[in-house]
Amino acid sequence: MPSIDVHAPVGLFSAESQAVLAEELAGVALRAEGLEPTPFLLEKSWVFFHRHAVEAVRSGLGTAAAGAVRIQILAPYGRLGAQAREKLIQDATEIVVRTTGDPTQAERTFVLIGETAESGWGLAGLTGGSLVAWAVGQSAATGSGSGESRVE
C-alpha cells in the first residue's frame, strides 16, 4: 500500500480537488503495485498534502518556481517494475494536469518514487512484509486483485 505526499503551493488545489487527487493518486499507485483499488485498500492508502508559500520553492536560478508540484510515492520494495514506475509517473502527472485544468502544469510537476524495505514501514503494528501479504490476501479473497508480488 502506498504512502503519498503532495507538495504544492497554497491555493493550487481546492479541498474538493484534493479529495479527487487523493483518490486518483492512491488508485494508480495501488494498480502499479498489482493491487485493485478496493475501498478497503484505498482507506489504508493515505495522501498527505503539504502546502507552501509560492516563494518557498526556488528554481536553480534562484527564481520562485510558481506552481511547482512534487509528488512523492513510497511503495513496498520490489512491488514496482520499471514499466510500472514509468506508467505511475505518467499517470500521476496526468492526474495533476487534469485536476488543475492547466496543460502546462506537467512541466511543473515532479514525481518521485521510492521503495521502502519490508522492515522499514508498517501500519497497525505490522511491518511491511506482513502487511503486504495481508493486503494481497485481502485482494485475492475478494477476487479484486492479481495477488502478484511485482508488476513489470
Side-chain angles (χ1 to χ4, degrees):
M1 288 171 285
S3 176
I4 303 169
D5 290 89
V6 177
H7 300 262
V10 171
L12 185 64
F13 300 117
S14 67
E16 182 179 298
S17 64
Q18 285 181 29
V20 170
L21 271 172
E23 185 173 354
E24 291 190 19
L25 288 172
V28 298
L30 284 165
R31 282 187 195 94
E33 289 183 29
L35 299 169
E36 186 62 32
T38 63
F40 173 80
L41 293 176
L42 287 168
E43 182 181 43
K44 305 297 185 222
S45 301
W46 300 337
V47 180
F48 296 87
F49 287 90
H50 308 271
R51 296 169 204 83
H52 55 77
V54 173
E55 64 274 4
V57 178
R58 300 283 173 165
S59 73
L61 296 173
T63 58
V69 173
R70 184 179 79 180
I71 299 171
Q72 183 174 1
I73 302 169
L74 290 175
Y77 182 79
R79 299 283 303 170
L80 303 174
Q83 290 176 331
R85 287 190 300 271
E86 185 175 331
K87 182 164 177 24
L88 182 53
I89 290 168
Q90 291 169 352
D91 289 348
T93 302
E94 288 172 12
I95 290 166
V96 171
V97 167
R98 188 173 58 253
T99 303
T100 62
D102 179 1
T104 67
Q105 183 61 50
E107 301 169 13
R108 297 182 305 280
T109 301
F110 183 79
V111 180
L112 176 65
I113 298 173
E115 292 183 296
T116 303
E118 284 188 16
S119 62
W121 67 284
L123 176 68
L126 298 172
T127 59
S130 300
L131 199 53
V132 168
W134 174 70
V136 169
Q138 290 291 320
S139 291
T142 61
S144 60
S146 68
E148 305 220 357
S149 62
R150 184 177 169 138
V151 177
E152 288 298 327

